[in-house]
Amino acid sequence: FLGTIVEHAKSFICTSQLLHDANTHFDAVHSEDGLDMDKIRCTLRQFMRDWSEEGANERVQCYKPITDALEAYYSHYPFDQRYRLKVLLPGAGLGRLAYNVAKLGFSAQGCEFSYQMLISSNYILNYAPGPKSLAIHPWVLSSSNVWDTDAHQLQQILVPDELPGGLPPNVDFSMVAGDFLEVYQGQNGEWDC
């Protein structure tokens, strides 16, 4: 799974100013060689939260208040005109909230700085082969706070729960690589939310 993400990252990195010099070839994963295993563990868990059925309850708690507030605040806009409203989502992670906002008809742009999140969001948003087509084991690298090894540490999670696509007409959905404060410097008033 991780190797597939890295392979698909090569074309993505060529077009990113932030990532064009990044190393995407790893002969082996060794934490003592500087590859941060915590970031890999975090990214796998983020896949579970953002792109699996098992993460649906957490997404409802985290994302639904935001999407409900957007819909309430802009309720006077007809659905077919919402695409004119631009929503900026800093710290977008794997892009699920930005995707959900775009599904509601708003033009949405996620901004992310983390290399691991960027290449992973690129894969899940653009190259995932189908719903529930990828198996991950997000807790296999963790031994702390594990109550039942078989039920938790070795649990297989299928992603994505929903194949991204099928956005309403005219909606602009994108992810941007970079530091939020640098990327959007001087863009006051260009975003509706």
Side-chain angles (χ1 to χ4, degrees):
F1 177 72
L2 295 175
T4 303
I5 290 173
V6 170
E7 280 302 311
H8 281 89
K10 290 177 182 173
S11 63
F12 170 69
I13 289 167
C14 292
T15 61
S16 170
Q17 290 294 339
L18 175 69
L19 302 175
H20 75 279
D21 290 327
N23 177 20
T24 60
H25 177 73
F26 304 104
D27 294 325
V29 176
H30 299 290
S31 59
E32 66 269 14
D33 291 340
L35 184 61
D36 191 348
M37 290 300 294
D38 286 338
K39 290 182 180 180
I40 293 173
R41 282 191 284 269
C42 179
T43 302
L44 287 172
R45 290 182 188 138
Q46 187 89 8
F47 268 112
M48 190 283 304
R49 185 186 83 176
D50 279 5
W51 292 102
S52 76
E53 285 182 358
E54 290 81 356
N57 287 337
E58 193 172 341
R59 286 194 306 275
V60 166
Q61 292 174 18
C62 296
Y63 298 162
K64 190 163 178 12
I66 296 168
T67 56
D68 286 352
L70 276 171
E71 289 191 298
Y73 190 78
Y74 292 111
S75 62
H76 60 285
Y77 271 82
F79 183 82
D80 65 346
Q81 295 299 308
R82 280 188 189 165
Y83 73 92
R84 297 177 189 275
L85 298 168
K86 294 169 50 180
V87 179
L88 177 59
L89 298 134
L94 294 178
R96 182 61 183 254
L97 178 56
Y99 170 69
N100 286 355
V101 167
K103 281 190 344 183
L104 295 174
F106 298 96
S107 288
Q109 184 169 91
C111 178
E112 181 57 51
F113 186 76
S114 165
Y115 174 69
Q116 289 81 6
M117 293 293 176
L118 286 166
I119 64 171
S120 298
S121 66
N122 176 59
Y123 178 75
I124 204 74
L125 292 168
N126 297 303
Y127 301 106
K132 299 180 186 175
S133 58
L134 304 164
I136 63 170
H137 297 82
W139 298 280
V140 75
L141 298 174
S142 301
S143 57
S144 61
N145 300 319
V146 175
W147 296 98
D148 181 339
T149 301
D150 292 332
H152 299 287
Q153 190 174 15
L154 303 177
Q155 181 181 7
Q156 175 177 284
I157 304 292
L158 298 176
V159 296
D161 63 320
E162 174 181 341
L163 190 62
L167 296 176
N170 300 314
V171 167
D172 183 19
F173 170 58
S174 60
M175 292 286 288
V176 172
D179 179 273
F180 172 73
L181 295 175
E182 291 178 15
V183 172
Y184 298 98
Q185 186 175 14
Q187 292 191 24
N188 293 343
E190 291 189 32
W191 299 89
D192 297 292
C193 187

